[in-house]
């Protein structure tokens, strides 16, 4: 069970079909929807405003969701939030991607199926139009996304939805081995590859 804390009588909500890692922290008005994945060390602090991730979304390792009093911080259905990202009082649209280490500030809106590049800074009230790429510090909108990029992202999100099921059914705390066993098994490889590798393959 994740570290879940009620505040002023408001209790976090975790849909039974979601997976929330035991080291994640949910406080107050935090809502995790069906089929979501919340990774190790992630924090959803609903102590001022509501923080919510909707059906099929993922919030990866050490991400933070928070907002000012009265605000909602929302990741819409099939949203994908990479390791270490910070979301503060913003809205991430359906099917959108926020890259690793990115920061999205108050009142910002990331449109449906848009991408925010890794380490980008999306300033307050900035809007990323649907199906566009925004990157940089401060971020600016660079170009439309290709169908290949959007398809790649959707595949990645489905992989995390499957990971939620795998972890819900098979993640167990254990003692480590002292050394790798002979013929150590690997996880079955997915067809998912990094986007740069996918693009390189399409040019060959």
């Amino acid at each position: 069970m994740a570290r879940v804390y009620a505040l002023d009588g408001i209790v976090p909500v975790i849909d039974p079909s979601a997976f929330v890692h035991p080291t994640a922290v949910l406080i107050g008005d935090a809502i995790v929807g069906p089929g979501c994945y919340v990774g190790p060390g992630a924090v959803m602090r609903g102590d001022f405003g509501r923080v919510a991730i909707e059906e099929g979304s993922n919030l990866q390792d050490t991400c933070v969701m928070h907002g000012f009093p009265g605000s909602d911080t929302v990741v819409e259905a099939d949203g994908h939030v990479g390791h270490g990202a910070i979301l503060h009082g913003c809205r991430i649209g359906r099917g959108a991607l926020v890259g690793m280490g990115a920061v999205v500030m108050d009142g910002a809106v990331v449109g449906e199926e848009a991408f925010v590049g890794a380490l980008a800074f999306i300033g307050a009230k900035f809007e990323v139009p649907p199906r566009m790429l925004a990157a940089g510090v401060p971020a600016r909108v660079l170009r439309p996304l290709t169908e290949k990029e959007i398809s790649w992202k959707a595949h990645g999100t489905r992989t995390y939805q499957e990971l939620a099921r795998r972890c819900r059914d098979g993640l167990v705390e254990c003692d480590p081995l002292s050394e790798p066993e002979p013929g150590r098994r690997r996880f079955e490889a997915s067809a998912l590859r990094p986007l740069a590798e996918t693009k390189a393959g399409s040019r060959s």
Side-chain angles (χ1 to χ4, degrees):
M1 172 60 73
R3 300 171 69 181
V4 177
Y5 302 90
L7 181 64
D8 298 336
I10 299 179
V11 179
V13 175
I14 301 174
D15 186 274
S17 65
F19 172 78
V20 180
H21 191 273
T23 62
V25 177
L26 278 64
I27 298 171
D29 196 2
I31 302 172
V32 177
C36 290
Y37 173 90
V38 178
V43 176
M44 298 178 67
R45 265 185 62 199
D47 48 13
F48 291 154
R50 176 168 296 172
V51 294
I53 62 173
E54 297 180 353
E55 183 172 3
S57 293
N58 63 76
L59 188 71
Q60 297 173 23
D61 321 57
T62 72
C63 289
V64 175
M65 292 183 71
H66 192 237
F68 280 104
S71 68
D72 286 358
T73 306
V74 177
V75 179
E76 295 182 7
D78 296 327
H80 193 104
V81 184
H83 317 291
I86 298 173
L87 308 179
H88 202 276
C90 57
R91 177 169 287 270
I92 310 302
R94 176 181 292 269
L97 178 148
V98 177
M100 300 180 221
V103 176
V104 187
M105 291 298 293
D106 302 276
V109 176
V110 176
E112 184 172 344
E113 295 185 323
F115 286 14
V116 173
L119 299 177
F121 179 80
I122 303 291
K125 298 188 178 180
F126 190 89
E127 294 195 15
V128 183
R131 291 187 156 218
M132 298 292 284
L133 169 65
V137 180
R140 57 192 181 91
V141 177
L142 300 181
R143 61 171 175 82
L145 294 166
T146 66
E147 290 298 327
K148 181 178 286 292
E149 288 167 329
I150 292 169
S151 175
W152 171 86
K153 183 270 167 195
H155 186 182
T157 300
R158 288 193 299 272
T159 300
Y160 265 91
Q161 291 164 351
E162 176 60 25
L163 180 60
R165 289 189 286 271
R166 288 170 56 203
C167 289
R168 204 174 57 244
D169 296 340
L171 185 74
V172 293
E173 192 169 1
C174 64
D175 294 322
L177 302 174
S178 58
E179 60 183 39
E181 62 270 56
R184 182 176 174 85
R185 184 172 63 90
R186 291 178 178 269
F187 288 114
E188 185 176 330
S190 163
L192 183 67
R193 293 293 180 269
L195 183 57
E197 187 177 317
T198 302
K199 288 179 176 179
S202 68
R203 291 195 294 268
S204 59

